[in-house]
Amino acid sequence: TLQERLGEPQNRPDDGCVNVDVFLAHGFRVEENESRAWGAEFFKRLYQEGMNARFHSVTWSSDTGLSISYEDNVNNAFITASNYAARVNAIKATNQSEVVVMGHSLGCMLTSAAISDHAMQADKFFALNGAVPAEAFDAAMADERTNALNRLLHPDWRGYAERTWS
């Protein structure tokens, strides 16, 4: 497994950054070695856009199971959430920093569970192609209409009986 790298990067010391810690959790089916490249690419793009914060790429087990089961990896997100929250909270406490968390796809499930179930102290949360529906955060956003007034309902699904819903 990849070891956590805790030291300051030699080519970008922390004292040259604003007091913000940015965390990125990748999504489903990102292999361990690909995770490092995925995080590096994301950092480079943010840096080129002017980000001057400390960046943390979160590697977690999102590609396990015999046939790389989505359900198994959703479970991994919930299992990993407590460790993720503890690490973010420790960094926030040490740095007395603003914390920005980003999750891509199933990484949003990991991040949401860390915030909701394990009190991760995030000041901002960006869900990128989130694998979590908006109504999971705000029940008022649920739209149960089965007609054209529900703009998120595909036309082929209009009129289905409530008993057929997932």
Side-chain angles (χ1 to χ4, degrees), residues 3 29 31 41 44 51 57 59 61 65 67 72 74 81 88 92 110 114 119 124 140 148 150:
Q3 291 185 351
R29 290 191 76 165
E31 294 177 11
E41 179 67 23
K44 289 173 192 175
M51 181 192 74
S57 181
T59 298
S61 186
S67 61
D72 287 348
V74 166
V88 168
K92 182 177 177 74
L110 167 63
K124 295 177 183 158
N150 183 344

Side-chain angles (χ1 to χ4, degrees), residues 6 20 28 31 55 62 82 89 104 106 109 117 138 156 158 165:
L6 301 174
V20 177
F28 176 55
E31 294 177 11
F55 182 81
S62 70
S82 62
N89 290 347
H104 173 256
L106 192 54
M109 183 72 71
D117 300 338
D138 181 359
D156 291 349
R158 290 185 185 147
W165 299 354

Side-chain angles (χ1 to χ4, degrees), residues 23-41:
F23 295 82
L24 172 70
H26 63 75
F28 176 55
R29 290 191 76 165
V30 176
E31 294 177 11
E32 187 174 19
N33 289 330
E34 289 177 12
S35 174
R36 186 173 289 169
W38 204 87
E41 179 67 23

Side-chain angles (χ1 to χ4, degrees):
T1 63
L2 296 173
Q3 291 185 351
E4 186 172 20
R5 293 187 279 175
L6 301 174
E8 246 180 72
Q10 293 178 355
N11 60 347
R12 191 162 185 264
D14 288 350
D15 62 6
C17 298
V18 295
N19 196 25
V20 177
D21 286 288
V22 175
F23 295 82
L24 172 70
H26 63 75
F28 176 55
R29 290 191 76 165
V30 176
E31 294 177 11
E32 187 174 19
N33 289 330
E34 289 177 12
S35 174
R36 186 173 289 169
W38 204 87
E41 179 67 23
F42 211 94
F43 166 77
K44 289 173 192 175
R45 290 176 185 228
L46 290 173
Y47 181 76
Q48 289 172 345
E49 289 299 319
M51 181 192 74
N52 191 24
R54 292 177 295 270
F55 182 81
H56 310 264
S57 181
V58 179
T59 298
W60 64 283
S61 186
S62 70
D63 66 336
T64 61
L66 294 175
S67 61
I68 307 183
S69 162
Y70 183 77
E71 291 77 15
D72 287 348
N73 291 287
V74 166
N75 192 46
N76 287 347
F78 285 116
I79 291 168
T80 306
S82 62
N83 289 334
Y84 183 28
R87 187 72 186 119
V88 168
N89 290 347
I91 290 171
K92 182 177 177 74
T94 298
N95 294 339
Q96 294 294 301
S97 59
E98 177 182 359
V99 167
V100 177
V101 292
M102 297 180 289
H104 173 256
S105 187
L106 192 54
C108 289
M109 183 72 71
L110 167 63
T111 305
S112 299
I115 292 169
S116 179
D117 300 338
H118 303 287
M120 184 165 77
Q121 299 298 305
D123 298 291
K124 295 177 183 158
F125 175 20
F126 292 94
L128 311 169
N129 299 324
V132 181
E135 57 268 19
F137 301 107
D138 181 359
M141 295 184 76
D143 189 345
E144 297 179 353
R145 295 175 292 187
T146 61
N147 57 32
L149 295 174
N150 183 344
R151 62 183 179 78
L152 295 179
L153 183 68
H154 191 279
D156 291 349
W157 289 72
R158 290 185 185 147
Y160 272 76
E162 193 172 317
R163 66 179 178 76
T164 65
W165 299 354
S166 59

